[in-house]
Every structure is written in C-alpha cells, then in structure tokens.
Amino acid sequence: MMQLKGYCEKWDVKSTEDVARSYLEFLTDWSSSEGFHGCMFINACAEYSAAESMPHQIANQHEREVRQWLFAQFERVGAHHPQQKADTLFVWGEGLIVTAQTDQKPLALNNELFIELIK
C-alpha cells in the first residue's frame, strides 16, 4: 500500500481519468519491473485457499484496503458511482497483475480505452 500511495502522490489527480491512469501506470511499472513475481497477496490466496487461514485473511484485508483507497480517490475527485468505479478498476488491475505474473507479454491491454470506459 505504501508503494502505491507514494507512486500516486506524484500525480496531480483531479479527475476520474487521473485516478485510473495513476493506478494503472503504477501496476504496469511494478509488474514490468525486474524481479516481479506477482502479488504476494494473490499468491497467498492461491497457496492458502481456506478463508479462515491467516495468510488468506491478511491478503483479504490488503485487497479491501486497496479497494477502499481507490474508492476514496474516486470520491475525492467527485466521480459518479465511486464504489462501482473503484471495484471495476480493482478487478482490471488484478487482471493486469496476474497477466504479468503468468508471463503473457507484452501486455496488450489498452489502459486508455479502459479509462474512457470508466468515466
């Protein structure tokens, strides 16, 4: 979370598009960095699939925090339907992470098209 917040603080976020663009650029930069082996929280859920296991609970808490942070960002810029936008962007981002982790390069996803759709 600290890396995400630090990265996005560099942006002058004033619109729905800025929220989405800063988050997607963070994920793209992170997932294409040397030594990237996926998200430890996604990996923990895969390894410890029982919802009551501690690693699964910690991962679940992290994912909720990211979604809450996205919601707060959309709400701050006055986005219509901020929860829906936060949830949608979160799921898109999870797909980016898993796609990068499974070495499906290049990431031919059109983030700009997605940003247009989320307006």
Side-chain angles (χ1 to χ4, degrees):
M1 255 332 273
M2 288 176 47
Q3 287 178 317
L4 169 62
K5 288 179 180 179
Y7 186 94
C8 291
E9 283 175 1
K10 298 175 192 174
W11 285 74
D12 186 22
V13 176
K14 294 181 180 175
S15 68
T16 298
E17 296 90 339
D18 292 342
V19 173
R21 189 170 286 113
S22 65
Y23 182 65
L24 293 172
E25 285 199 18
F26 166 76
L27 292 178
T28 300
D29 287 353
W30 172 52
S31 65
S32 61
S33 65
E34 188 174 329
F36 175 78
H37 299 291
C39 172
M40 70 180 189
F41 299 105
I42 293 172
N43 294 342
C45 283
E47 292 292 322
Y48 300 92
S49 60
E52 64 277 356
S53 70
M54 187 55 68
H56 193 97
Q57 290 178 19
I58 292 168
N60 188 300
Q61 175 62 32
H62 170 75
E63 301 297 310
R64 280 195 311 271
E65 288 173 7
V66 172
R67 289 171 69 188
Q68 289 169 351
W69 182 83
L70 288 170
F71 170 76
Q73 300 309 302
F74 281 120
E75 196 171 52
R76 186 173 59 77
V77 298
H80 296 293
H81 310 291
Q83 189 65 61
Q84 183 182 29
K85 285 179 172 38
D87 291 345
T88 302
L89 181 57
F90 175 77
V91 170
W92 182 269
E94 294 295 280
L96 280 172
I97 294 166
V98 172
T99 299
Q101 183 177 5
T102 57
D103 253 350
Q104 299 177 45
K105 294 181 181 159
L107 292 178
L109 300 173
N110 189 335
N111 287 342
E112 288 302 316
L113 174 61
F114 179 78
I115 290 166
E116 286 297 313
L117 294 172
I118 202 169
K119 283 184 183 177

